[in-house]
Amino acid sequence: QAQKDTPRPKLKIRDRRIIAMMPISMAISMMVAVTQQTSAFYFQDILGLDAAGTARATGAALMMMAGATLFVQTAIVQRLRLAPPVLIYGGLVLAVAAYTVLTMAASFWMLTTGLVMVGIAFGMANPGISAAISLSVTPNEQGSAAGLNASMSATGFMIGSLVGPGG
């Protein structure tokens, strides 16, 4: 009964405690969306594959990318308990390195290494930004902050879908 009587906090996206982190959250999701949605075209161009070969190669590489994200989030982030800024900045620096590898790649394994690096970067940066946002507000505002973060992440995927393959 007490929960019904307690007004829910109204956290705004413009709240000074979280506003600087919202574009980062969106950018992280854009990075992954653009990578996922353009990788098949890139694999086909770099490796000279037909449609079936492209599907096989890209599917395998994206599976490894997703596995890297899962591994980092469950085995590394959970155990090391790194501070949010370490996760965010580490993930973003690794993303730059990953895209450097992708731009220089000329083989399936180099392309896959770049995508695995993107997966690790996302696996670090995404929980880092979520934690930073959560820790920036009071405990009773954390649900609202998590909702705003999820909205920015979804917005990043939407924008990434527009600027990636279609942009």
Side-chain angles (χ1 to χ4, degrees):
Q1 182 70 1
Q3 288 182 346
K4 289 182 181 180
D5 297 338
T6 305
R8 292 185 165 236
K10 294 189 179 177
L11 192 63
K12 303 250 188 248
I13 200 164
R14 296 178 311 272
D15 188 293
R16 64 178 169 72
R17 297 169 293 171
I18 62 170
I19 191 167
M21 291 176 274
M22 291 297 150
I24 298 169
S25 178
M26 190 169 58
I28 291 167
S29 294
M30 282 178 62
M31 167 186 78
V32 173
V34 168
T35 302
Q36 289 174 338
Q37 294 170 14
T38 60
S39 59
F41 301 116
Y42 196 60
F43 271 56
Q44 189 171 37
D45 288 346
I46 297 296
L47 303 176
L49 300 172
D50 63 7
T54 299
R56 279 191 302 274
T58 307
L62 288 174
M63 181 183 68
M64 289 185 238
M65 177 180 151
T69 300
L70 178 64
F71 176 76
V72 166
Q73 289 183 346
T74 57
I76 306 298
V77 172
Q78 294 284 325
R79 290 189 182 156
L80 295 182
R81 301 192 185 278
L82 299 170
V86 172
L87 291 170
I88 296 165
Y89 296 126
L92 295 177
V93 167
L94 184 58
V96 170
Y99 290 113
T100 302
V101 168
L102 286 169
T103 60
M104 297 177 357
S107 71
F108 170 78
W109 289 110
M110 283 300 291
L111 289 166
T112 301
T113 298
L115 288 182
V116 166
M117 290 171 69
V118 170
I120 294 168
F122 181 72
M124 291 174 64
N126 197 46
I129 198 70
S130 295
I133 290 168
S134 177
L135 293 171
S136 296
V137 297
T138 64
N140 67 337
E141 294 172 315
Q142 288 178 345
S144 295
L148 290 170
N149 182 39
S151 297
M152 288 295 98
S153 182
T155 302
F157 272 96
M158 284 180 5
I159 294 170
S161 297
L162 293 173
V163 300

